[in-house]
């Protein structure tokens, strides 16, 4: 079934450690996104990529980095995790940016201790 | 349908009744809107979208209404079923920096059998 795969599904991480969240889509979508979802705050955009080889900063990019080496993969890296990065992280993709529905993975639940 | 602090607004309906979930948006430049459904432990699932050149769009058991005059969006679910229990939230494209979707906080729909 076509869609977005995120890994791991959950992780407990010590503060200061480096972590990469993986995201793969098989829909050949051009645009991909990373969001964090916190109780009461809704989905907030961390980084995005409109096409392979390009990335951009969203609303809350600090402490996170991304790369887009190919169309299918869009990993999110926390260089040195802090407790405020405890959240649920969702990857999404759309055919292109703008007025298009975004399709989401099932998330990675990350706890930083 | 906006969140208030840590508490999501909740709509409780009887199975078989119709449900109406509301969303207010603030940016008059927004020209594209989406409704998502999110079940516990899952990623947001696309339900239906509408562009600003329309004021109504229907899907299977769902209807979205757009009132641009008062900047209001609603999702109507006909013959609500227990499987409709979830958090519903709207998203808009305000065409500000990055041409990205902005997500609302959500409304929890509870269906009583």
């Amino acid at each position: 079934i076509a869609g977005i795969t995120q890994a791991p599904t959950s992780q407990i991480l010590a503060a200061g450690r480096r972590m990469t969240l993986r995201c793969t889509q098989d829909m050949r979508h051009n645009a991909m996104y990373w969001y964090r979802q916190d109780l009461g705050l809704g989905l907030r955009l961390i980084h995005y990529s409109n096409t392979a080889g390009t990335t951009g900063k969203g609303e809350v990019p600090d402490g996170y980095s991304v790369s887009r080496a190919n169309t299918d993969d869009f990993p999110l890296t926390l260089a040195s995790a802090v407790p405020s990065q405890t959240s649920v992280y969702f990857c999404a993709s759309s055919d292109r940016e703008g007025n298009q529905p975004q399709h989401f993975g099932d998330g990675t639940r990350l706890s930083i201790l | 349908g906006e969140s208030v602090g840590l508490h999501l607004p909740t709509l409780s309906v009887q199975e078989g009744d119709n449900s109406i979930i509301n969303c207010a948006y603030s940016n008059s430049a927004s020209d594209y809107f989406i409704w998502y459904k999110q079940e516990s432990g899952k990623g947001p699932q696309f339900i239906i979208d509408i562009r600003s050149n329309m004021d109504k769009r229907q899907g299977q058991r769902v209807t979205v209404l757009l009132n641009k005059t008062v900047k209001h969006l609603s999702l109507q679910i006909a013959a609500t079923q227990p499987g409709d229990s979830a958090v519903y939230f709207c998203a808009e494209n305000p065409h500000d920096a990055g041409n990205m979707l902005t997500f609302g906080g959500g409304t929890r729909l509870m269906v009583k059998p």
Side-chain angles (χ1 to χ4, degrees), chain A residues 33 35 37 39-40 43 45 48 90 98-102 104-106 109, chain B residues 3 5-6 31-32 34 36 38 41 43-44 46 51 93 99-101 103:
Chain A
Y33 315 85
Y35 294 90
Q37 187 176 44
L39 192 62
L43 285 163
L45 182 66
Y48 65 92
F90 288 100
N99 291 357
Q100 292 286 314
Q102 294 180 13
F104 287 80
D106 280 337
R109 286 141 192 85
Chain B
S3 63
L6 298 178
D31 64 353
Y32 178 69
I34 302 179
Y36 283 94
Q38 187 174 21
F46 168 75
R51 299 182 190 277
N93 186 354
N99 195 21
M100 294 294 157
L101 295 178
F103 292 84

PDB file of all heavy atoms in Angstrom, chain A residues 33 35 37 39-40 43 45 48 90 98-102 104-106 109, chain B residues 3 5-6 31-32 34 36 38 41 43-44 46 51 93 99-101 103:
ATOM      1  N   TYR A  33       7.578  17.177   4.294  1.00  0.00           N
ATOM      2  CA  TYR A  33       7.492  18.083   5.445  1.00  0.00           C
ATOM      3  C   TYR A  33       7.759  17.310   6.739  1.00  0.00           C
ATOM      4  O   TYR A  33       7.439  16.117   6.827  1.00  0.00           O
ATOM      5  CB  TYR A  33       6.085  18.686   5.547  1.00  0.00           C
ATOM      6  CG  TYR A  33       5.517  19.181   4.241  1.00  0.00           C
ATOM      7  CD1 TYR A  33       4.855  18.317   3.378  1.00  0.00           C
ATOM      8  CD2 TYR A  33       5.634  20.517   3.873  1.00  0.00           C
ATOM      9  CE1 TYR A  33       4.323  18.767   2.177  1.00  0.00           C
ATOM     10  CE2 TYR A  33       5.111  20.974   2.669  1.00  0.00           C
ATOM     11  CZ  TYR A  33       4.457  20.090   1.830  1.00  0.00           C
ATOM     12  OH  TYR A  33       3.942  20.540   0.640  1.00  0.00           O
ATOM     13  N   TYR A  35       6.733  17.845  10.842  1.00  0.00           N
ATOM     14  CA  TYR A  35       5.984  18.591  11.843  1.00  0.00           C
ATOM     15  C   TYR A  35       6.233  17.984  13.216  1.00  0.00           C
ATOM     16  O   TYR A  35       6.529  16.799  13.338  1.00  0.00           O
ATOM     17  CB  TYR A  35       4.477  18.502  11.583  1.00  0.00           C
ATOM     18  CG  TYR A  35       3.993  19.153  10.316  1.00  0.00           C
ATOM     19  CD1 TYR A  35       3.930  18.438   9.128  1.00  0.00           C
ATOM     20  CD2 TYR A  35       3.568  20.478  10.311  1.00  0.00           C
ATOM     21  CE1 TYR A  35       3.468  19.032   7.965  1.00  0.00           C
ATOM     22  CE2 TYR A  35       3.094  21.084   9.148  1.00  0.00           C
ATOM     23  CZ  TYR A  35       3.053  20.343   7.987  1.00  0.00           C
ATOM     24  OH  TYR A  35       2.587  20.937   6.832  1.00  0.00           O
ATOM     25  N   GLN A  37       3.989  17.707  16.896  1.00  0.00           N
ATOM     26  CA  GLN A  37       2.647  17.895  17.431  1.00  0.00           C
ATOM     27  C   GLN A  37       2.707  17.818  18.943  1.00  0.00           C
ATOM     28  O   GLN A  37       3.074  16.787  19.503  1.00  0.00           O
ATOM     29  CB  GLN A  37       1.668  16.841  16.882  1.00  0.00           C
ATOM     30  CG  GLN A  37       0.218  17.093  17.286  1.00  0.00           C
ATOM     31  CD  GLN A  37      -0.726  16.094  16.654  1.00  0.00           C
ATOM     32  OE1 GLN A  37      -0.477  14.895  16.614  1.00  0.00           O
ATOM     33  NE2 GLN A  37      -1.856  16.579  16.134  1.00  0.00           N
ATOM     34  N   LEU A  39       0.604  18.812  22.659  1.00  0.00           N
ATOM     35  CA  LEU A  39      -0.751  18.982  23.190  1.00  0.00           C
ATOM     36  C   LEU A  39      -1.099  20.461  23.270  1.00  0.00           C
ATOM     37  O   LEU A  39      -0.359  21.245  23.852  1.00  0.00           O
ATOM     38  CB  LEU A  39      -0.835  18.337  24.565  1.00  0.00           C
ATOM     39  CG  LEU A  39      -2.245  18.174  25.138  1.00  0.00           C
ATOM     40  CD1 LEU A  39      -3.065  17.267  24.249  1.00  0.00           C
ATOM     41  CD2 LEU A  39      -2.161  17.621  26.550  1.00  0.00           C
ATOM     42  N   GLY A  40      -2.220  20.822  22.677  1.00  0.00           N
ATOM     43  CA  GLY A  40      -2.701  22.193  22.742  1.00  0.00           C
ATOM     44  C   GLY A  40      -2.083  23.136  21.731  1.00  0.00           C
ATOM     45  O   GLY A  40      -2.531  24.265  21.598  1.00  0.00           O
ATOM     46  N   LEU A  43      -0.190  21.120  14.992  1.00  0.00           N
ATOM     47  CA  LEU A  43       0.964  20.747  14.165  1.00  0.00           C
ATOM     48  C   LEU A  43       1.774  21.995  13.836  1.00  0.00           C
ATOM     49  O   LEU A  43       1.229  22.981  13.344  1.00  0.00           O
ATOM     50  CB  LEU A  43       0.487  20.096  12.876  1.00  0.00           C
ATOM     51  CG  LEU A  43      -0.035  18.669  12.985  1.00  0.00           C
ATOM     52  CD1 LEU A  43      -0.843  18.313  11.766  1.00  0.00           C
ATOM     53  CD2 LEU A  43       1.126  17.705  13.157  1.00  0.00           C
ATOM     54  N   LEU A  45       5.263  23.297  11.740  1.00  0.00           N
ATOM     55  CA  LEU A  45       6.204  22.901  10.698  1.00  0.00           C
ATOM     56  C   LEU A  45       7.638  23.148  11.152  1.00  0.00           C
ATOM     57  O   LEU A  45       7.980  24.246  11.586  1.00  0.00           O
ATOM     58  CB  LEU A  45       5.904  23.678   9.420  1.00  0.00           C
ATOM     59  CG  LEU A  45       6.761  23.364   8.204  1.00  0.00           C
ATOM     60  CD1 LEU A  45       6.506  21.939   7.720  1.00  0.00           C
ATOM     61  CD2 LEU A  45       6.476  24.357   7.081  1.00  0.00           C
ATOM     62  N   TYR A  48      10.892  21.775   5.618  1.00  0.00           N
ATOM     63  CA  TYR A  48      10.206  21.244   4.460  1.00  0.00           C
ATOM     64  C   TYR A  48      11.174  21.147   3.297  1.00  0.00           C
ATOM     65  O   TYR A  48      12.280  21.706   3.324  1.00  0.00           O
ATOM     66  CB  TYR A  48       9.009  22.122   4.087  1.00  0.00           C
ATOM     67  CG  TYR A  48       9.387  23.517   3.633  1.00  0.00           C
ATOM     68  CD1 TYR A  48       9.591  23.804   2.289  1.00  0.00           C
ATOM     69  CD2 TYR A  48       9.562  24.545   4.550  1.00  0.00           C
ATOM     70  CE1 TYR A  48       9.954  25.078   1.878  1.00  0.00           C
ATOM     71  CE2 TYR A  48       9.924  25.812   4.153  1.00  0.00           C
ATOM     72  CZ  TYR A  48      10.114  26.083   2.823  1.00  0.00           C
ATOM     73  OH  TYR A  48      10.480  27.339   2.424  1.00  0.00           O
ATOM     74  N   PHE A  90       5.720  14.088  12.956  1.00  0.00           N
ATOM     75  CA  PHE A  90       5.037  13.570  11.780  1.00  0.00           C
ATOM     76  C   PHE A  90       5.738  14.035  10.513  1.00  0.00           C
ATOM     77  O   PHE A  90       6.073  15.214  10.372  1.00  0.00           O
ATOM     78  CB  PHE A  90       3.579  14.030  11.737  1.00  0.00           C
ATOM     79  CG  PHE A  90       2.705  13.365  12.745  1.00  0.00           C
ATOM     80  CD1 PHE A  90       2.372  14.008  13.921  1.00  0.00           C
ATOM     81  CD2 PHE A  90       2.225  12.081  12.525  1.00  0.00           C
ATOM     82  CE1 PHE A  90       1.565  13.396  14.863  1.00  0.00           C
ATOM     83  CE2 PHE A  90       1.422  11.456  13.468  1.00  0.00           C
ATOM     84  CZ  PHE A  90       1.088  12.120  14.635  1.00  0.00           C
ATOM     85  N   GLY A  98       2.058  24.013  -1.609  1.00  0.00           N
ATOM     86  CA  GLY A  98       0.939  24.926  -1.777  1.00  0.00           C
ATOM     87  C   GLY A  98      -0.407  24.243  -1.645  1.00  0.00           C
ATOM     88  O   GLY A  98      -0.667  23.491  -0.726  1.00  0.00           O
ATOM     89  N   ASN A  99      -1.289  24.493  -2.578  1.00  0.00           N
ATOM     90  CA  ASN A  99      -2.685  24.059  -2.484  1.00  0.00           C
ATOM     91  C   ASN A  99      -2.858  22.595  -2.865  1.00  0.00           C
ATOM     92  O   ASN A  99      -3.489  22.248  -3.862  1.00  0.00           O
ATOM     93  CB  ASN A  99      -3.560  24.954  -3.362  1.00  0.00           C
ATOM     94  CG  ASN A  99      -3.677  26.363  -2.819  1.00  0.00           C
ATOM     95  OD1 ASN A  99      -3.145  26.660  -1.750  1.00  0.00           O
ATOM     96  ND2 ASN A  99      -4.349  27.225  -3.537  1.00  0.00           N
ATOM     97  N   GLN A 100      -2.281  21.758  -2.023  1.00  0.00           N
ATOM     98  CA  GLN A 100      -2.355  20.321  -2.234  1.00  0.00           C
ATOM     99  C   GLN A 100      -2.555  19.646  -0.884  1.00  0.00           C
ATOM    100  O   GLN A 100      -1.987  20.074   0.113  1.00  0.00           O
ATOM    101  CB  GLN A 100      -1.046  19.803  -2.837  1.00  0.00           C
ATOM    102  CG  GLN A 100      -0.793  20.268  -4.246  1.00  0.00           C
ATOM    103  CD  GLN A 100      -1.682  19.559  -5.237  1.00  0.00           C
ATOM    104  OE1 GLN A 100      -1.835  18.357  -5.182  1.00  0.00           O
ATOM    105  NE2 GLN A 100      -2.295  20.316  -6.137  1.00  0.00           N
ATOM    106  N   PRO A 101      -3.329  18.567  -0.824  1.00  0.00           N
ATOM    107  CA  PRO A 101      -3.434  17.843   0.444  1.00  0.00           C
ATOM    108  C   PRO A 101      -2.113  17.190   0.780  1.00  0.00           C
ATOM    109  O   PRO A 101      -1.429  16.663  -0.090  1.00  0.00           O
ATOM    110  CB  PRO A 101      -4.519  16.801   0.166  1.00  0.00           C
ATOM    111  CG  PRO A 101      -4.560  16.658  -1.316  1.00  0.00           C
ATOM    112  CD  PRO A 101      -4.161  17.984  -1.883  1.00  0.00           C
ATOM    113  N   GLN A 102      -1.753  17.270   2.051  1.00  0.00           N
ATOM    114  CA  GLN A 102      -0.570  16.589   2.529  1.00  0.00           C
ATOM    115  C   GLN A 102      -0.995  15.260   3.138  1.00  0.00           C
ATOM    116  O   GLN A 102      -2.014  15.170   3.819  1.00  0.00           O
ATOM    117  CB  GLN A 102       0.149  17.447   3.568  1.00  0.00           C
ATOM    118  CG  GLN A 102       0.713  18.729   2.982  1.00  0.00           C
ATOM    119  CD  GLN A 102       1.429  19.574   4.009  1.00  0.00           C
ATOM    120  OE1 GLN A 102       1.728  19.115   5.107  1.00  0.00           O
ATOM    121  NE2 GLN A 102       1.712  20.812   3.653  1.00  0.00           N
ATOM    122  N   PHE A 104       0.119  12.082   5.587  1.00  0.00           N
ATOM    123  CA  PHE A 104       0.954  11.930   6.764  1.00  0.00           C
ATOM    124  C   PHE A 104       1.305  10.484   7.070  1.00  0.00           C
ATOM    125  O   PHE A 104       0.515   9.562   6.801  1.00  0.00           O
ATOM    126  CB  PHE A 104       0.239  12.508   7.987  1.00  0.00           C
ATOM    127  CG  PHE A 104       0.189  14.006   8.012  1.00  0.00           C
ATOM    128  CD1 PHE A 104      -0.741  14.694   7.257  1.00  0.00           C
ATOM    129  CD2 PHE A 104       1.084  14.723   8.795  1.00  0.00           C
ATOM    130  CE1 PHE A 104      -0.784  16.091   7.275  1.00  0.00           C
ATOM    131  CE2 PHE A 104       1.043  16.108   8.825  1.00  0.00           C
ATOM    132  CZ  PHE A 104       0.115  16.788   8.060  1.00  0.00           C
ATOM    133  N   GLY A 105       2.474  10.309   7.691  1.00  0.00           N
ATOM    134  CA  GLY A 105       2.817   9.040   8.299  1.00  0.00           C
ATOM    135  C   GLY A 105       2.171   8.933   9.669  1.00  0.00           C
ATOM    136  O   GLY A 105       1.452   9.842  10.107  1.00  0.00           O
ATOM    137  N   ASP A 106       2.431   7.841  10.372  1.00  0.00           N
ATOM    138  CA  ASP A 106       1.819   7.614  11.686  1.00  0.00           C
ATOM    139  C   ASP A 106       2.657   8.132  12.845  1.00  0.00           C
ATOM    140  O   ASP A 106       2.307   7.913  13.999  1.00  0.00           O
ATOM    141  CB  ASP A 106       1.487   6.137  11.868  1.00  0.00           C
ATOM    142  CG  ASP A 106       0.201   5.746  11.162  1.00  0.00           C
ATOM    143  OD1 ASP A 106      -0.640   6.635  10.916  1.00  0.00           O
ATOM    144  OD2 ASP A 106       0.041   4.553  10.843  1.00  0.00           O
ATOM    145  N   ARG A 109       7.053   8.869  18.245  1.00  0.00           N
ATOM    146  CA  ARG A 109       6.889   9.437  19.576  1.00  0.00           C
ATOM    147  C   ARG A 109       8.241   9.458  20.261  1.00  0.00           C
ATOM    148  O   ARG A 109       8.807   8.407  20.539  1.00  0.00           O
ATOM    149  CB  ARG A 109       5.875   8.612  20.364  1.00  0.00           C
ATOM    150  CG  ARG A 109       4.464   8.874  19.888  1.00  0.00           C
ATOM    151  CD  ARG A 109       3.589   7.636  19.851  1.00  0.00           C
ATOM    152  NE  ARG A 109       2.355   7.909  19.138  1.00  0.00           N
ATOM    153  CZ  ARG A 109       2.198   7.840  17.822  1.00  0.00           C
ATOM    154  NH1 ARG A 109       3.198   7.468  17.057  1.00  0.00           N
ATOM    155  NH2 ARG A 109       1.048   8.128  17.261  1.00  0.00           N
TER     156      ARG A 109
ATOM    157  N   SER B   3      -8.380  25.253  19.600  1.00  0.00           N
ATOM    158  CA  SER B   3      -7.985  24.707  20.889  1.00  0.00           C
ATOM    159  C   SER B   3      -7.863  25.825  21.902  1.00  0.00           C
ATOM    160  O   SER B   3      -7.600  26.966  21.568  1.00  0.00           O
ATOM    161  CB  SER B   3      -6.667  23.969  20.756  1.00  0.00           C
ATOM    162  OG  SER B   3      -5.645  24.867  20.363  1.00  0.00           O
ATOM    163  N   GLY B   5      -5.809  26.429  25.339  1.00  0.00           N
ATOM    164  CA  GLY B   5      -4.811  25.882  26.234  1.00  0.00           C
ATOM    165  C   GLY B   5      -4.551  24.429  25.921  1.00  0.00           C
ATOM    166  O   GLY B   5      -4.360  24.047  24.776  1.00  0.00           O
ATOM    167  N   LEU B   6      -4.579  23.574  26.934  1.00  0.00           N
ATOM    168  CA  LEU B   6      -4.282  22.169  26.761  1.00  0.00           C
ATOM    169  C   LEU B   6      -5.530  21.345  26.473  1.00  0.00           C
ATOM    170  O   LEU B   6      -5.436  20.140  26.323  1.00  0.00           O
ATOM    171  CB  LEU B   6      -3.580  21.630  28.004  1.00  0.00           C
ATOM    172  CG  LEU B   6      -2.233  22.259  28.357  1.00  0.00           C
ATOM    173  CD1 LEU B   6      -1.689  21.661  29.632  1.00  0.00           C
ATOM    174  CD2 LEU B   6      -1.237  22.077  27.218  1.00  0.00           C
ATOM    175  N   ASP B  31      -6.748  30.676   0.418  1.00  0.00           N
ATOM    176  CA  ASP B  31      -7.588  30.270  -0.707  1.00  0.00           C
ATOM    177  C   ASP B  31      -7.727  28.755  -0.832  1.00  0.00           C
ATOM    178  O   ASP B  31      -8.271  28.255  -1.822  1.00  0.00           O
ATOM    179  CB  ASP B  31      -7.040  30.862  -2.018  1.00  0.00           C
ATOM    180  CG  ASP B  31      -5.663  30.317  -2.366  1.00  0.00           C
ATOM    181  OD1 ASP B  31      -5.070  29.587  -1.543  1.00  0.00           O
ATOM    182  OD2 ASP B  31      -5.188  30.614  -3.480  1.00  0.00           O
ATOM    183  N   TYR B  32      -7.235  28.036   0.169  1.00  0.00           N
ATOM    184  CA  TYR B  32      -7.309  26.577   0.118  1.00  0.00           C
ATOM    185  C   TYR B  32      -7.428  26.071   1.542  1.00  0.00           C
ATOM    186  O   TYR B  32      -6.688  26.513   2.442  1.00  0.00           O
ATOM    187  CB  TYR B  32      -6.046  26.029  -0.553  1.00  0.00           C
ATOM    188  CG  TYR B  32      -5.982  24.525  -0.624  1.00  0.00           C
ATOM    189  CD1 TYR B  32      -6.838  23.801  -1.449  1.00  0.00           C
ATOM    190  CD2 TYR B  32      -5.061  23.822   0.136  1.00  0.00           C
ATOM    191  CE1 TYR B  32      -6.771  22.425  -1.523  1.00  0.00           C
ATOM    192  CE2 TYR B  32      -4.988  22.452   0.071  1.00  0.00           C
ATOM    193  CZ  TYR B  32      -5.842  21.756  -0.762  1.00  0.00           C
ATOM    194  OH  TYR B  32      -5.773  20.393  -0.836  1.00  0.00           O
ATOM    195  N   ILE B  34      -8.345  22.466   4.132  1.00  0.00           N
ATOM    196  CA  ILE B  34      -8.417  21.010   4.227  1.00  0.00           C
ATOM    197  C   ILE B  34      -8.963  20.626   5.595  1.00  0.00           C
ATOM    198  O   ILE B  34      -8.661  21.288   6.589  1.00  0.00           O
ATOM    199  CB  ILE B  34      -7.014  20.372   4.089  1.00  0.00           C
ATOM    200  CG1 ILE B  34      -6.351  20.740   2.780  1.00  0.00           C
ATOM    201  CG2 ILE B  34      -7.089  18.859   4.193  1.00  0.00           C
ATOM    202  CD1 ILE B  34      -4.945  20.132   2.667  1.00  0.00           C
ATOM    203  N   TYR B  36      -8.815  17.381   8.269  1.00  0.00           N
ATOM    204  CA  TYR B  36      -8.139  16.137   8.606  1.00  0.00           C
ATOM    205  C   TYR B  36      -8.836  15.469   9.790  1.00  0.00           C
ATOM    206  O   TYR B  36      -9.405  16.133  10.654  1.00  0.00           O
ATOM    207  CB  TYR B  36      -6.673  16.399   8.997  1.00  0.00           C
ATOM    208  CG  TYR B  36      -5.755  16.666   7.835  1.00  0.00           C
ATOM    209  CD1 TYR B  36      -5.488  17.965   7.427  1.00  0.00           C
ATOM    210  CD2 TYR B  36      -5.145  15.624   7.153  1.00  0.00           C
ATOM    211  CE1 TYR B  36      -4.626  18.219   6.370  1.00  0.00           C
ATOM    212  CE2 TYR B  36      -4.281  15.869   6.098  1.00  0.00           C
ATOM    213  CZ  TYR B  36      -4.032  17.174   5.713  1.00  0.00           C
ATOM    214  OH  TYR B  36      -3.180  17.413   4.663  1.00  0.00           O
ATOM    215  N   GLN B  38      -7.833  12.707  12.871  1.00  0.00           N
ATOM    216  CA  GLN B  38      -6.713  12.043  13.520  1.00  0.00           C
ATOM    217  C   GLN B  38      -7.218  11.151  14.640  1.00  0.00           C
ATOM    218  O   GLN B  38      -7.770  11.624  15.633  1.00  0.00           O
ATOM    219  CB  GLN B  38      -5.707  13.060  14.066  1.00  0.00           C
ATOM    220  CG  GLN B  38      -4.436  12.400  14.591  1.00  0.00           C
ATOM    221  CD  GLN B  38      -3.380  13.395  15.001  1.00  0.00           C
ATOM    222  OE1 GLN B  38      -3.661  14.558  15.265  1.00  0.00           O
ATOM    223  NE2 GLN B  38      -2.131  12.951  15.050  1.00  0.00           N
ATOM    224  N   GLY B  41      -3.078   7.736  18.280  1.00  0.00           N
ATOM    225  CA  GLY B  41      -1.909   6.973  17.895  1.00  0.00           C
ATOM    226  C   GLY B  41      -1.635   6.916  16.401  1.00  0.00           C
ATOM    227  O   GLY B  41      -0.728   6.192  15.966  1.00  0.00           O
ATOM    228  N   GLY B  43      -1.460   9.092  12.424  1.00  0.00           N
ATOM    229  CA  GLY B  43      -1.210  10.364  11.786  1.00  0.00           C
ATOM    230  C   GLY B  43      -2.500  10.964  11.245  1.00  0.00           C
ATOM    231  O   GLY B  43      -3.511  10.265  11.095  1.00  0.00           O
ATOM    232  N   PRO B  44      -2.500  12.264  10.965  1.00  0.00           N
ATOM    233  CA  PRO B  44      -3.684  12.899  10.384  1.00  0.00           C
ATOM    234  C   PRO B  44      -4.034  12.272   9.036  1.00  0.00           C
ATOM    235  O   PRO B  44      -3.156  11.973   8.225  1.00  0.00           O
ATOM    236  CB  PRO B  44      -3.247  14.355  10.209  1.00  0.00           C
ATOM    237  CG  PRO B  44      -2.130  14.551  11.183  1.00  0.00           C
ATOM    238  CD  PRO B  44      -1.423  13.239  11.235  1.00  0.00           C
ATOM    239  N   PHE B  46      -6.308  12.733   5.577  1.00  0.00           N
ATOM    240  CA  PHE B  46      -7.029  13.681   4.734  1.00  0.00           C
ATOM    241  C   PHE B  46      -8.478  13.247   4.559  1.00  0.00           C
ATOM    242  O   PHE B  46      -8.768  12.086   4.278  1.00  0.00           O
ATOM    243  CB  PHE B  46      -6.327  13.755   3.367  1.00  0.00           C
ATOM    244  CG  PHE B  46      -7.106  14.476   2.310  1.00  0.00           C
ATOM    245  CD1 PHE B  46      -7.199  15.858   2.326  1.00  0.00           C
ATOM    246  CD2 PHE B  46      -7.747  13.779   1.293  1.00  0.00           C
ATOM    247  CE1 PHE B  46      -7.898  16.525   1.344  1.00  0.00           C
ATOM    248  CE2 PHE B  46      -8.447  14.435   0.310  1.00  0.00           C
ATOM    249  CZ  PHE B  46      -8.531  15.809   0.335  1.00  0.00           C
ATOM    250  N   ARG B  51     -11.465  24.774  -2.300  1.00  0.00           N
ATOM    251  CA  ARG B  51     -10.780  25.997  -2.726  1.00  0.00           C
ATOM    252  C   ARG B  51     -11.727  27.172  -2.552  1.00  0.00           C
ATOM    253  O   ARG B  51     -12.950  27.002  -2.519  1.00  0.00           O
ATOM    254  CB  ARG B  51     -10.312  25.850  -4.165  1.00  0.00           C
ATOM    255  CG  ARG B  51      -9.344  24.701  -4.321  1.00  0.00           C
ATOM    256  CD  ARG B  51      -8.779  24.512  -5.711  1.00  0.00           C
ATOM    257  NE  ARG B  51      -8.052  23.248  -5.791  1.00  0.00           N
ATOM    258  CZ  ARG B  51      -6.793  23.087  -5.390  1.00  0.00           C
ATOM    259  NH1 ARG B  51      -6.121  24.105  -4.913  1.00  0.00           N
ATOM    260  NH2 ARG B  51      -6.204  21.907  -5.484  1.00  0.00           N
ATOM    261  N   ASN B  93      -4.166  27.491   3.629  1.00  0.00           N
ATOM    262  CA  ASN B  93      -2.955  28.024   3.020  1.00  0.00           C
ATOM    263  C   ASN B  93      -3.102  29.534   2.947  1.00  0.00           C
ATOM    264  O   ASN B  93      -3.811  30.051   2.086  1.00  0.00           O
ATOM    265  CB  ASN B  93      -2.736  27.444   1.623  1.00  0.00           C
ATOM    266  CG  ASN B  93      -1.407  27.878   1.036  1.00  0.00           C
ATOM    267  OD1 ASN B  93      -0.700  28.708   1.625  1.00  0.00           O
ATOM    268  ND2 ASN B  93      -1.049  27.326  -0.108  1.00  0.00           N
ATOM    269  N   ASN B  99       4.426  29.474   1.426  1.00  0.00           N
ATOM    270  CA  ASN B  99       3.274  28.859   0.756  1.00  0.00           C
ATOM    271  C   ASN B  99       2.908  27.542   1.420  1.00  0.00           C
ATOM    272  O   ASN B  99       2.711  26.528   0.756  1.00  0.00           O
ATOM    273  CB  ASN B  99       3.606  28.654  -0.731  1.00  0.00           C
ATOM    274  CG  ASN B  99       2.383  28.373  -1.572  1.00  0.00           C
ATOM    275  OD1 ASN B  99       1.273  28.696  -1.185  1.00  0.00           O
ATOM    276  ND2 ASN B  99       2.579  27.751  -2.707  1.00  0.00           N
ATOM    277  N   MET B 100       2.839  27.541   2.755  1.00  0.00           N
ATOM    278  CA  MET B 100       2.622  26.326   3.516  1.00  0.00           C
ATOM    279  C   MET B 100       1.258  26.313   4.182  1.00  0.00           C
ATOM    280  O   MET B 100       0.643  27.360   4.395  1.00  0.00           O
ATOM    281  CB  MET B 100       3.693  26.215   4.613  1.00  0.00           C
ATOM    282  CG  MET B 100       5.079  26.031   4.071  1.00  0.00           C
ATOM    283  SD  MET B 100       5.265  24.454   3.227  1.00  0.00           S
ATOM    284  CE  MET B 100       6.643  24.824   2.147  1.00  0.00           C
ATOM    285  N   LEU B 101       0.814  25.105   4.520  1.00  0.00           N
ATOM    286  CA  LEU B 101      -0.426  24.963   5.261  1.00  0.00           C
ATOM    287  C   LEU B 101      -0.221  25.374   6.722  1.00  0.00           C
ATOM    288  O   LEU B 101       0.822  25.106   7.304  1.00  0.00           O
ATOM    289  CB  LEU B 101      -0.912  23.516   5.218  1.00  0.00           C
ATOM    290  CG  LEU B 101      -1.310  22.958   3.851  1.00  0.00           C
ATOM    291  CD1 LEU B 101      -1.710  21.493   3.990  1.00  0.00           C
ATOM    292  CD2 LEU B 101      -2.434  23.763   3.242  1.00  0.00           C
ATOM    293  N   PHE B 103      -2.152  24.852  10.442  1.00  0.00           N
ATOM    294  CA  PHE B 103      -3.116  23.929  11.024  1.00  0.00           C
ATOM    295  C   PHE B 103      -3.779  24.523  12.255  1.00  0.00           C
ATOM    296  O   PHE B 103      -3.131  25.179  13.075  1.00  0.00           O
ATOM    297  CB  PHE B 103      -2.420  22.618  11.403  1.00  0.00           C
ATOM    298  CG  PHE B 103      -1.963  21.828  10.226  1.00  0.00           C
ATOM    299  CD1 PHE B 103      -0.743  22.104   9.621  1.00  0.00           C
ATOM    300  CD2 PHE B 103      -2.743  20.813   9.705  1.00  0.00           C
ATOM    301  CE1 PHE B 103      -0.317  21.386   8.510  1.00  0.00           C
ATOM    302  CE2 PHE B 103      -2.323  20.083   8.602  1.00  0.00           C
ATOM    303  CZ  PHE B 103      -1.114  20.372   7.999  1.00  0.00           C
TER     304      PHE B 103
END
